[in-house]
Amino acid sequence: MRAIILADNNDINLEPLTNQIPFPLLSVAGKTILLHILEQVHRSGIRSVLVVSRNSHRELELGTDTGPLLGMEVQFRNELPDMRHVNDETLLIGANMLVDHNWGEIIRARRASYNKDIISLMTTPTEVAGFLLPANITELIPNVWGDFSETINDSVSIGLPKILKIDSLASYQNANFELLNGTFMHFFPAGRSHDSCHFISPKVHLTTDSLQGHHSFIGSHSRVDNRARLQGNIVIGSDVFIDRGAHISDSVILDSTYIGAMTSCHNAIISGNLLIKVDSGVSITIDDPMIISALH
């Protein structure tokens, strides 16, 4: 059994964020979207994975540490291989959503009942979650996720798993916050759980007085001044510095970002000097390094 992850997503609207970072490498609660999916596949017992991205496969390979995925072989390519020469079943999934279930259990349950000579579409009541490809299929398989849904008739229900669909700035922010709530079984924040509400990575400089919110994640080597205040739901990446008197609430701050002294920010996504207001979709590039600037 092996898995293929189609990492290109043409139906998402995360610009201008994805102008800086390839979509699969966007961090969700301290792990990239791609790493979350790879870990899920690994826990499902699948040890051979191919990641396909037409434009970003080299960046994805360089940006993904597969070392902790013991026993898993992960390859990166810019196109799907000819599946007619594959003599094993293949799970094919996309990267635009996190489906909270164990693929291995579903596949094992289906082996006794489904027609092994046809492609099976695995669905929830609202989403196409994946495809199960038989060995030595007779037709060519397209590279585009949507083309599968339009041509495959055999549909298999996989129940009602929790789903984080990431196709907009608001849903990306929500995915970060949802993973902090501890309600998912197969996706977890990075870092160690400081208590039931906060996840703190190694080498973080932070006083508990600053944590005044519901849930938070703080990435490694980040520093929060003891006079700063973090409220609501907060996700902070690695190498972030939040200066004195800053007030941040219900926001996602990505790696290598500086938040200046006395800055107030609510319901935003911040990456380097890019500030995105999630409620309005307005994005601002801030040139003043004393407010928000990238650290190098």
Side-chain angles (χ1 to χ4, degrees):
M1 185 75 196
R2 74 169 187 166
I4 293 177
I5 301 171
L6 295 182
D8 286 328
N9 293 278
N10 299 321
D11 298 327
I12 60 173
N13 183 22
L14 274 75
E15 294 182 352
L17 199 56
T18 48
N19 294 337
Q20 296 182 345
I21 307 168
F23 172 81
L25 295 183
L26 286 174
S27 179
V28 176
K31 302 176 188 176
T32 67
I33 293 170
L34 179 57
L35 184 57
H36 274 295
I37 296 172
L38 287 172
E39 288 184 346
Q40 178 199 25
V41 169
H42 186 271
R43 285 190 291 269
S44 297
I46 299 173
R47 293 295 181 264
S48 177
V49 180
L50 174 63
V51 179
V52 178
S53 173
R54 284 168 290 184
N55 300 318
S56 304
H57 68 287
R58 293 297 185 195
E59 289 178 84
L60 301 188
E61 184 172 10
L62 292 172
T64 304
D65 179 12
T66 61
L69 302 172
L70 298 178
M72 175 180 276
E73 178 186 11
V74 183
Q75 296 180 329
F76 296 80
R77 292 190 184 180
N78 63 350
E79 61 181 12
L80 201 65
D82 188 343
M83 300 299 294
R84 294 174 296 181
H85 302 295
V86 176
N87 58 3
D88 197 1
E89 291 176 299
T90 300
L91 169 69
L92 190 145
I93 54 180
N96 65 325
M97 58 184 169
L98 305 181
V99 183
D100 191 34
H101 64 169
N102 186 305
W103 288 113
E105 292 177 359
I106 292 172
I107 291 168
R108 286 189 292 271
R110 287 299 300 164
R111 278 176 176 165
S113 58
Y114 86 110
N115 187 337
K116 293 186 178 182
D117 295 326
I118 63 175
I119 299 172
S120 293
L121 181 151
M122 293 182 286
T123 65
T124 72
T126 59
E127 301 290 345
V128 175
F131 302 89
L132 195 56
L133 312 182
N136 301 311
I137 57 178
T138 58
E139 65 263 42
L140 285 171
I141 300 300
N143 281 324
V144 180
W145 179 265
D147 292 347
F148 282 85
S149 304
E150 297 174 1
T151 58
I152 297 171
N153 296 319
D154 183 57
S155 180
V156 177
S157 173
I158 62 171
L160 292 167
K162 291 176 68 69
I163 292 176
L164 289 178
K165 189 170 184 181
I166 305 173
D167 57 1
S168 66
L169 292 169
S171 65
Y172 170 66
Q173 182 194 52
N174 178 69
N176 275 274
F177 296 161
E178 283 286 325
L179 286 194
L180 300 181
N181 293 334
T183 59
F184 283 78
M185 297 178 61
H186 299 97
F187 302 104
F188 312 96
R192 297 177 179 176
S193 178
H194 179 70
D195 52 36
S196 60
C197 300
H198 305 291
F199 296 84
I200 311 297
S201 299
K203 299 182 179 179
V204 167
H205 180 85
L206 173 76
T207 63
T208 55
D209 290 342
S210 296
L211 287 177
Q212 300 179 351
H214 306 303
H215 298 89
S216 65
F217 165 80
I218 315 293
S220 60
H221 298 93
S222 288
R223 181 183 180 92
V224 180
D225 188 275
N226 58 10
R227 289 163 291 182
R229 294 294 176 263
L230 308 178
Q231 297 181 320
N233 293 304
I234 296 292
V235 172
I236 296 174
S238 300
D239 299 304
V240 170
F241 178 37
I242 299 180
D243 215 335
R244 59 182 176 82
H247 180 196
I248 311 297
S249 62
D250 295 319
S251 295
V252 176
I253 303 173
L254 298 184
D255 296 352
S256 302
T257 297
Y258 169 69
I259 306 295
M262 309 309 295
T263 299
S264 179
C265 185
H266 172 70
N267 196 28
I269 300 170
I270 307 172
S271 177
N273 64 345
L274 176 66
L275 170 66
I276 302 172
K277 296 293 292 180
V278 175
D279 50 358
S280 65
V282 172
S283 60
I284 305 168
T285 301
I286 300 175
D287 296 322
D288 186 348
M290 293 304 294
I291 302 176
I292 302 172
S293 66
L295 292 177
H296 299 287

